[in-house]
Short mmCIF file of all heavy atoms in Angstrom, two decimals:
data_model
loop_
_atom_site.label_atom_id
_atom_site.label_comp_id
_atom_site.label_asym_id
_atom_site.label_seq_id
_atom_site.Cartn_x
_atom_site.Cartn_y
_atom_site.Cartn_z
N LEU A 91 76.42 37.46 -13.65
CA LEU A 91 75.45 37.51 -14.74
C LEU A 91 74.71 38.83 -14.76
O LEU A 91 74.56 39.45 -15.82
CB LEU A 91 74.46 36.35 -14.60
CG LEU A 91 73.23 36.38 -15.53
CD1 LEU A 91 73.62 36.50 -16.99
CD2 LEU A 91 72.37 35.14 -15.30
N ALA A 92 74.23 39.28 -13.60
CA ALA A 92 73.51 40.55 -13.53
C ALA A 92 74.39 41.70 -14.00
O ALA A 92 73.94 42.58 -14.76
CB ALA A 92 73.02 40.81 -12.11
N PHE A 93 75.64 41.71 -13.58
CA PHE A 93 76.57 42.78 -13.95
C PHE A 93 76.72 42.88 -15.46
O PHE A 93 76.55 43.95 -16.06
CB PHE A 93 77.93 42.54 -13.30
CG PHE A 93 78.99 43.50 -13.75
CD1 PHE A 93 79.13 44.74 -13.16
CD2 PHE A 93 79.86 43.17 -14.79
CE1 PHE A 93 80.11 45.64 -13.58
CE2 PHE A 93 80.84 44.04 -15.22
CZ PHE A 93 80.96 45.28 -14.61
N TRP A 94 77.01 41.77 -16.12
CA TRP A 94 77.25 41.81 -17.56
C TRP A 94 75.98 42.10 -18.34
O TRP A 94 76.01 42.79 -19.36
CB TRP A 94 77.90 40.51 -18.03
CG TRP A 94 79.33 40.41 -17.62
CD1 TRP A 94 79.87 39.58 -16.70
CD2 TRP A 94 80.40 41.24 -18.08
NE1 TRP A 94 81.21 39.81 -16.55
CE2 TRP A 94 81.57 40.83 -17.40
CE3 TRP A 94 80.50 42.28 -18.99
CZ2 TRP A 94 82.80 41.43 -17.60
CZ3 TRP A 94 81.74 42.87 -19.21
CH2 TRP A 94 82.87 42.44 -18.52
N ALA A 95 74.85 41.61 -17.86
CA ALA A 95 73.59 41.86 -18.57
C ALA A 95 73.18 43.32 -18.49
O ALA A 95 72.69 43.89 -19.47
CB ALA A 95 72.48 40.96 -18.02
N VAL A 96 73.38 43.96 -17.32
CA VAL A 96 72.97 45.37 -17.21
C VAL A 96 74.00 46.30 -17.83
O VAL A 96 73.64 47.32 -18.44
CB VAL A 96 72.70 45.77 -15.74
CG1 VAL A 96 71.54 44.98 -15.17
CG2 VAL A 96 73.93 45.64 -14.86
N VAL A 97 75.27 45.99 -17.72
CA VAL A 97 76.31 46.90 -18.22
C VAL A 97 76.38 46.89 -19.74
O VAL A 97 76.64 47.93 -20.37
CB VAL A 97 77.68 46.54 -17.60
CG1 VAL A 97 78.83 47.19 -18.36
CG2 VAL A 97 77.71 46.97 -16.14
N THR A 98 76.15 45.73 -20.37
CA THR A 98 76.19 45.71 -21.83
C THR A 98 75.04 46.50 -22.44
O THR A 98 75.13 46.94 -23.59
CB THR A 98 76.14 44.26 -22.36
OG1 THR A 98 75.03 43.57 -21.77
CG2 THR A 98 77.44 43.53 -22.06
N HIS A 99 73.96 46.70 -21.69
CA HIS A 99 72.82 47.48 -22.20
C HIS A 99 73.23 48.92 -22.54
O HIS A 99 73.06 49.35 -23.70
CB HIS A 99 71.69 47.46 -21.17
CG HIS A 99 70.46 48.22 -21.59
ND1 HIS A 99 69.21 47.65 -21.60
CD2 HIS A 99 70.28 49.51 -22.00
CE1 HIS A 99 68.33 48.56 -22.02
NE2 HIS A 99 68.97 49.69 -22.25
N PRO A 100 73.78 49.72 -21.60
CA PRO A 100 74.17 51.08 -21.97
C PRO A 100 75.34 51.14 -22.93
O PRO A 100 75.45 52.07 -23.74
CB PRO A 100 74.52 51.74 -20.62
CG PRO A 100 74.90 50.60 -19.74
CD PRO A 100 73.99 49.47 -20.16
N LEU A 101 76.23 50.16 -22.86
CA LEU A 101 77.34 50.15 -23.82
C LEU A 101 76.80 49.97 -25.24
O LEU A 101 77.25 50.64 -26.18
CB LEU A 101 78.33 49.03 -23.48
CG LEU A 101 79.17 49.26 -22.22
CD1 LEU A 101 80.03 48.04 -21.93
CD2 LEU A 101 80.05 50.51 -22.36
N LEU A 102 75.82 49.08 -25.40
CA LEU A 102 75.20 48.91 -26.71
C LEU A 102 74.45 50.17 -27.12
O LEU A 102 74.54 50.60 -28.28
CB LEU A 102 74.26 47.71 -26.70
CG LEU A 102 73.52 47.39 -28.00
CD1 LEU A 102 74.51 47.19 -29.15
CD2 LEU A 102 72.64 46.16 -27.82
N ASP A 103 73.73 50.78 -26.19
CA ASP A 103 73.03 52.03 -26.49
C ASP A 103 73.99 53.12 -26.95
O ASP A 103 73.64 53.97 -27.78
CB ASP A 103 72.26 52.52 -25.26
CG ASP A 103 70.91 51.85 -25.11
OD1 ASP A 103 70.46 51.19 -26.07
OD2 ASP A 103 70.30 51.97 -24.03
N SER A 104 75.19 53.11 -26.42
CA SER A 104 76.17 54.14 -26.78
C SER A 104 76.63 54.02 -28.23
O SER A 104 77.20 54.97 -28.78
CB SER A 104 77.39 54.07 -25.85
OG SER A 104 77.01 54.36 -24.52
N PHE A 105 76.42 52.87 -28.84
CA PHE A 105 76.77 52.70 -30.24
C PHE A 105 75.73 53.35 -31.16
O PHE A 105 75.95 53.42 -32.36
CB PHE A 105 76.91 51.22 -30.59
CG PHE A 105 78.26 50.65 -30.24
CD1 PHE A 105 78.51 50.14 -28.98
CD2 PHE A 105 79.30 50.65 -31.16
CE1 PHE A 105 79.75 49.63 -28.64
CE2 PHE A 105 80.55 50.15 -30.84
CZ PHE A 105 80.78 49.63 -29.57
N THR A 106 74.61 53.81 -30.61
CA THR A 106 73.61 54.52 -31.41
C THR A 106 73.89 56.01 -31.37
O THR A 106 74.85 56.47 -30.74
CB THR A 106 72.19 54.25 -30.88
OG1 THR A 106 72.00 54.91 -29.63
CG2 THR A 106 71.96 52.76 -30.72
N SER A 107 73.06 56.79 -32.05
CA SER A 107 73.25 58.25 -32.11
C SER A 107 72.46 59.00 -31.06
O SER A 107 72.63 60.21 -30.89
CB SER A 107 72.86 58.78 -33.50
OG SER A 107 73.69 58.23 -34.49
N TYR A 108 71.56 58.33 -30.35
CA TYR A 108 70.68 59.00 -29.40
C TYR A 108 71.47 59.65 -28.27
O TYR A 108 71.16 60.75 -27.83
CB TYR A 108 69.66 58.01 -28.84
CG TYR A 108 68.59 58.61 -27.97
CD1 TYR A 108 67.38 59.01 -28.51
CD2 TYR A 108 68.78 58.76 -26.60
CE1 TYR A 108 66.39 59.56 -27.71
CE2 TYR A 108 67.81 59.31 -25.80
CZ TYR A 108 66.60 59.71 -26.34
OH TYR A 108 65.63 60.25 -25.54
N GLY A 109 72.48 58.97 -27.78
CA GLY A 109 73.28 59.51 -26.68
C GLY A 109 72.94 58.85 -25.35
O GLY A 109 71.77 58.72 -25.00
N THR A 110 73.96 58.41 -24.62
CA THR A 110 73.79 57.71 -23.35
C THR A 110 74.70 58.34 -22.30
O THR A 110 75.89 58.53 -22.54
CB THR A 110 74.13 56.21 -23.50
OG1 THR A 110 73.36 55.67 -24.57
CG2 THR A 110 73.83 55.45 -22.23
N GLN A 111 74.12 58.66 -21.14
CA GLN A 111 74.89 59.32 -20.07
C GLN A 111 75.62 58.25 -19.25
O GLN A 111 75.20 57.90 -18.14
CB GLN A 111 73.95 60.16 -19.20
CG GLN A 111 73.25 61.26 -19.96
CD GLN A 111 72.25 62.03 -19.12
OE1 GLN A 111 72.60 62.58 -18.07
NE2 GLN A 111 71.00 62.06 -19.57
N LEU A 112 76.73 57.78 -19.76
CA LEU A 112 77.45 56.67 -19.15
C LEU A 112 78.03 57.01 -17.77
O LEU A 112 78.31 56.10 -16.99
CB LEU A 112 78.58 56.21 -20.07
CG LEU A 112 78.19 55.48 -21.36
CD1 LEU A 112 79.44 55.07 -22.13
CD2 LEU A 112 77.31 54.27 -21.07
N PHE A 113 78.21 58.29 -17.49
CA PHE A 113 78.87 58.67 -16.24
C PHE A 113 77.97 59.49 -15.32
O PHE A 113 78.45 60.21 -14.45
CB PHE A 113 80.17 59.41 -16.55
CG PHE A 113 81.07 58.67 -17.51
CD1 PHE A 113 81.19 59.08 -18.82
CD2 PHE A 113 81.73 57.53 -17.11
CE1 PHE A 113 82.00 58.39 -19.71
CE2 PHE A 113 82.54 56.82 -17.98
CZ PHE A 113 82.67 57.26 -19.29
N ALA A 114 76.65 59.39 -15.54
CA ALA A 114 75.70 60.02 -14.62
C ALA A 114 75.84 59.36 -13.24
O ALA A 114 76.17 58.18 -13.14
CB ALA A 114 74.28 59.85 -15.16
N PRO A 115 75.60 60.09 -12.15
CA PRO A 115 75.15 61.49 -12.07
C PRO A 115 76.27 62.52 -12.04
O PRO A 115 76.01 63.70 -11.84
CB PRO A 115 74.39 61.49 -10.74
CG PRO A 115 75.18 60.53 -9.89
CD PRO A 115 75.64 59.45 -10.82
N PHE A 116 77.51 62.10 -12.25
CA PHE A 116 78.64 63.01 -12.15
C PHE A 116 78.89 63.78 -13.43
O PHE A 116 79.59 64.79 -13.43
CB PHE A 116 79.90 62.25 -11.73
CG PHE A 116 79.75 61.54 -10.42
CD1 PHE A 116 79.64 60.16 -10.37
CD2 PHE A 116 79.70 62.25 -9.24
CE1 PHE A 116 79.49 59.50 -9.17
CE2 PHE A 116 79.55 61.60 -8.02
CZ PHE A 116 79.44 60.23 -7.98
N SER A 117 78.35 63.32 -14.53
CA SER A 117 78.50 64.01 -15.81
C SER A 117 77.26 63.74 -16.66
O SER A 117 76.75 62.62 -16.69
CB SER A 117 79.75 63.52 -16.54
OG SER A 117 79.80 64.04 -17.86
#
Side-chain angles (χ1 to χ4, degrees):
L91 170 54
F93 173 84
W94 286 111
V96 297
V97 165
T98 52
H99 180 126
L101 289 176
L102 180 57
D103 277 347
S104 296
F105 277 88
T106 71
S107 297
Y108 187 93
T110 306
Q111 299 176 57
L112 289 181
F113 308 106
F116 301 108
S117 172

